[in-house]
Amino acid sequence: MTAAALTRPSPPSAAIPPEPSPTAAPSPAPPSGTIVDRGTVRHDSVRAARWSVTGTAKVTGPVDVGTADVRGTLAVGGRFSADQLRSRGNLEVEGPVEVRGSFSSRGTLRLAATVHAVDLDLAGVARIAGAVTVDRTATVRGILHAPALTVGVLRVEGAAHVPGAVRALSVDATFRETSELGRVEARSVRLRATRPNLVDKVFFHERTVVVERIDAETVDLAGVEVGLVRAQKIVLGRGCHVTAVEGTIVSRHPSSAVGPESKSPVPFGLRR
């Protein structure tokens, strides 16, 4: 065998193509354009930078907008996503509501799922079937029904029916109608129930505010009933009743009560 045969190069092996690198799915483009609805309209879905509704509108699917301004009646069958949402009238949403900024409602609000907003301002009647989460401030002027609340600062002027937990940095509420709260967890809690006026007394309109439990650093109560209060500093104002206390009572009105109570309805004919 010659030297050339010994140095003959071997045939090149077949090239193996490199595996394609996985690519992420492209992000959807932000909503663009403006939709202006007047009168009675119907959409399968809505996607726009700005959406204005004056009249009656129904959307069977999802809504994804930058700014929504609703004046009238709007029903949405899917998810509602917006940067800003303002409603003046009647708003109903079957899917979850996600507002990346402020959510303001004046009128009637019916939401069948969860709600998340940076700020929430409600005036009127709001019935929310899912838990509510607000990053900063939630203001309620009217009547709120919700299973649970997680907020930064909660302010209530009216009534609230929240059987689950209310978690916040601070809670400040003045109740003008019958209300019920579950467990309230916050740094500071101030709850007031307005006293019945002459008309309420004449027509026997009793107003009760019942809270299951409060865990906080400071608690200030008046006219409410609480099962258990656990706090470092507790102020018991006029007409409040607390079944059990864990903490220091720094001030107590003579009309307040601490400890178990047994109540029975006044017999008919003895009311004045």
Side-chain angles (χ1 to χ4, degrees):
M1 184 178 293
T2 64
L6 292 175
T7 59
R8 183 182 301 168
S10 59
S13 59
I16 301 176
E19 295 183 359
S21 59
T23 57
S27 302
S32 61
T34 300
I35 298 177
V36 178
D37 289 327
R38 299 289 184 268
T40 302
V41 297
R42 180 187 178 94
H43 299 282
D44 293 332
S45 63
V46 171
R47 182 175 172 82
R50 298 183 63 86
W51 184 30
S52 174
V53 177
T54 303
T56 302
K58 181 175 183 179
V59 182
T60 58
V63 172
D64 184 6
V65 296
T67 301
D69 189 355
V70 181
R71 297 178 182 271
T73 299
L74 171 62
V76 177
R79 180 184 183 90
F80 201 131
S81 300
D83 293 334
Q84 307 285 335
L85 172 56
R86 184 174 69 169
S87 174
R88 302 293 184 270
N90 303 313
L91 175 61
E92 298 185 13
V93 182
E94 293 296 325
V97 176
E98 176 75 26
V99 182
R100 296 172 288 272
S102 63
F103 180 5
S104 173
S105 173
R106 301 287 183 273
T108 302
L109 187 66
R110 296 180 183 274
L111 308 179
T114 58
V115 176
H116 173 245
V118 174
D119 291 297
L120 181 63
D121 187 359
L122 303 178
V125 179
R127 297 182 181 274
I128 304 174
V132 178
T133 303
V134 180
D135 296 339
R136 294 191 300 204
T137 302
T139 303
V140 178
R141 287 167 287 182
I143 303 175
L144 170 65
H145 296 261
L149 297 175
T150 301
V151 304
V153 175
L154 175 62
R155 301 189 181 102
V156 178
E157 182 82 21
H161 302 268
V162 184
V166 177
R167 296 183 173 91
L169 293 176
S170 68
V171 177
D172 189 345
T174 300
F175 298 106
R176 303 191 180 280
E177 300 292 341
T178 294
S179 300
E180 305 90 25
L181 300 178
R183 180 170 181 166
V184 179
E185 301 175 5
R187 291 182 183 174
S188 64
V189 175
R190 181 180 180 273
L191 305 180
R192 291 281 188 274
T194 58
R195 303 176 65 184
N197 55 34
L198 180 60
V199 175
D200 294 330
K201 295 179 179 179
V202 169
F203 291 97
F204 309 112
H205 291 165
E206 297 183 2
R207 181 184 302 114
T208 59
V209 177
V210 179
V211 182
E212 181 181 321
R213 174 173 176 162
I214 299 175
D215 288 90
E217 295 179 3
T218 61
V219 175
D220 188 345
L221 306 174
V224 302
E225 298 183 15
V226 185
L228 170 64
V229 174
R230 177 181 291 172
Q232 298 175 11
K233 298 180 180 180
I234 303 170
V235 175
L236 301 180
R238 180 189 297 272
C240 68
H241 171 225
V242 179
T243 302
V245 171
E246 296 182 12
T248 302
I249 299 176
V250 297
S251 178
R252 178 176 174 181
H253 193 274
S255 64
S256 65
V258 177
E261 279 189 352
S262 177
K263 294 184 178 181
S264 58
V266 179
F268 181 78
L270 294 182
R271 293 178 177 175
R272 295 184 178 180

